[in-house]
C-alpha cells in the first residue's frame, strides 16, 4: 500500500522560508512523477511543482524562482523548499505521486493517483 506523509508545515512571516517533506512508502514503480499541490478554502487544488523520473522539474508561475522541488531517493523523501514566502502562499500543501504511467512531469491533479494528508502553511504579513 502506497503511503505519502507530509511534514514541515507551520507558520512563518512574509519573506521567510519553510521546507516541506514527503516520505513515501510502499511505492514499487521504477519510474514515477511526484509533485506538490496546494489548496485553500473554497478553491481548487493547484499544482505547485513537479519532479519527473528523469529529473526534470516544472513549477507554477506563481512560485517560480522562490520554490524548489527535490528528492532524496535514499530516504524515499520528496522536498519542497519554499523561500520568500508571501501571505498568498498560505494553503494546505499536499504531495502526490502518479501510478508509474505518467511520462514526464505534470501539474494536473488528475494525473496523480496517490496523495498525502496535507500540511498547513500559514504566512503572515
Amino acid at each position: 500500500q502506497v503511503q505519502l506523509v507530509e511534514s514541515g508545515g507551520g507558520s512563518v512571516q512574509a519573506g521567510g522560508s519553510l521546507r516541506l517533506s514527503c516520505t513515501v512508502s510502499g511505492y514499487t514503480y521504477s519510474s514515477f512523477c511526484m509533485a506538490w499541490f496546494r489548496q485553500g478554502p473554497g478553491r481548487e487544488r493547484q499544482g505547485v511543482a513537479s519532479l519527473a523520473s528523469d529529473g526534470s522539474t516544472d513549477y507554477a508561475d506563481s512560485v517560480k524562482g522562490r520554490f524548489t522541488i527535490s528528492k532524496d531517493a535514499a530516504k524515499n523523501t520528496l522536498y519542497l523548499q519554499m523561500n520568500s514566502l508571501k501571505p498568498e502562499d498560505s494553503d494546505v500543501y499536499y504531495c502526490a505521486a502518479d501510478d508509474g504511467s505518467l511520462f514526464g512531469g505534470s501539474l494536473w491533479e488528475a494525473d496523480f493517483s496517490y496523495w498525502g494528508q496535507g500540511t498547513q502553511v500559514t504566512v503572515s504579513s
Side-chain angles (χ1 to χ4, degrees):
Q1 182 180 359
V2 178
Q3 287 190 317
L4 286 69
V5 179
E6 302 99 334
S7 61
S11 297
V12 65
Q13 289 191 327
S17 298
L18 284 173
R19 188 177 77 159
L20 305 183
S21 300
C22 173
T23 302
V24 184
S25 62
Y27 200 88
T28 61
Y29 302 104
S30 59
S31 64
F32 56 90
C33 175
M34 295 195 69
W36 288 96
F37 287 76
R38 64 187 183 187
Q39 186 174 24
R43 292 189 285 110
E44 293 184 355
R45 197 168 293 187
Q46 174 196 22
V48 175
S50 72
L51 177 62
S53 57
D54 64 358
S56 60
T57 58
D58 195 13
Y59 295 92
D61 288 343
S62 58
V63 306
K64 282 181 180 176
R66 301 188 297 123
F67 291 11
T68 303
I69 188 171
S70 63
K71 69 178 180 182
D72 185 330
K75 295 182 179 179
N76 292 328
T77 301
L78 180 75
Y79 301 102
L80 184 68
Q81 178 66 44
M82 305 186 294
N83 299 328
S84 302
L85 282 161
K86 305 174 181 180
E88 51 264 41
D89 293 320
S90 297
D91 269 331
V92 177
Y93 283 72
Y94 300 88
C95 70
D98 83 314
D99 62 0
S101 62
L102 187 62
F103 179 78
S106 173
L107 294 178
W108 291 99
E109 181 180 3
D111 283 337
F112 295 88
S113 300
Y114 304 102
W115 295 85
Q117 82 288 351
T119 185
Q120 177 71 48
V121 171
T122 302
V123 184
S124 58
S125 57

